[in-house]
Amino acid sequence: RHTLPRRPPLVRQRFPGYDRQILAPMNSRRHPAAGVASVILIALILYLTLAPSPLPDDTPPMFPGADKLAHAAMFGLLTLTFMFDFRLTRRRLPSLRVAIAATVAASAFGGLIEILQQSMGLGRTAEWADFAADIAGAFCAAMLYRVLLRFRRN
């Protein structure tokens, strides 16, 4: 009797890089520390960016643009933390898509913070330059991670 070869499921045809592990529920493979660093960092960023006066009054004066550098560093670190959490949950290295998703998520969070700063009325104001620094920090961190990952593979 002649039988036709089984066609793979429709999902496999649409997504050539489809892997069952990606769409499978994360139960026993999930690392217990996954997400903890992201939650702590998000809470810290929310405090530092939304509190009326997060730093003590006796803080020494900073150079011009230090605020933008701090924004870039915070959101770059947040992007790296998202990528690290991905690695803990999926047990594989983040792809370029994951780097883009982490960058977009961190940048969107930065935009949300700027909107909250303007609308909460706690003495903080929204600035386009802060949002640009958030995006730049997230993008630079993701690209740095990808470059270092290539050197590690070689």
Side-chain angles (χ1 to χ4, degrees):
R1 178 176 174 180
H2 178 69
T3 59
L4 295 173
R6 288 189 66 190
R7 290 183 64 182
L10 187 60
V11 176
R12 282 191 191 272
Q13 293 173 357
R14 249 190 264 162
F15 305 105
Y18 172 77
D19 179 17
R20 286 183 201 198
Q21 298 299 328
I22 293 174
L23 300 179
M26 297 182 303
N27 46 20
S28 62
R29 295 184 59 164
R30 187 176 173 96
H31 193 279
V36 174
S38 292
V39 170
I40 291 171
L41 188 58
I42 287 171
L44 181 65
I45 290 173
L46 284 171
Y47 172 73
L48 290 173
T49 56
L50 296 178
S53 181
L55 299 177
D57 292 334
D58 60 347
T59 304
M62 294 184 272
F63 60 91
D67 174 46
K68 309 308 176 245
L69 186 62
H71 273 265
M74 285 190 301
F75 287 89
L77 186 59
L78 184 62
T79 302
L80 291 175
T81 306
F82 286 160
M83 293 172 74
F84 178 72
D85 285 342
F86 175 85
R87 186 165 184 191
L88 284 179
T89 57
R90 304 294 188 190
R91 305 263 194 233
R92 62 185 173 96
L93 296 174
S95 64
L96 182 61
R97 284 183 183 171
V98 174
I100 291 170
T103 302
V104 169
S107 300
F109 182 60
L112 176 67
I113 284 177
E114 294 303 318
I115 292 169
L116 289 174
Q117 282 180 340
Q118 189 66 33
S119 64
M120 289 177 68
L122 294 175
R124 305 295 294 256
T125 58
E127 291 183 32
W128 284 106
D130 285 348
F131 184 51
D134 299 344
I135 294 171
F139 178 77
C140 289
M143 291 305 107
L144 178 67
Y145 184 87
R146 296 290 300 164
V147 167
L148 293 176
L149 190 61
R150 284 187 186 210
F151 280 123
R152 182 177 171 213
R153 286 181 184 167
N154 292 339

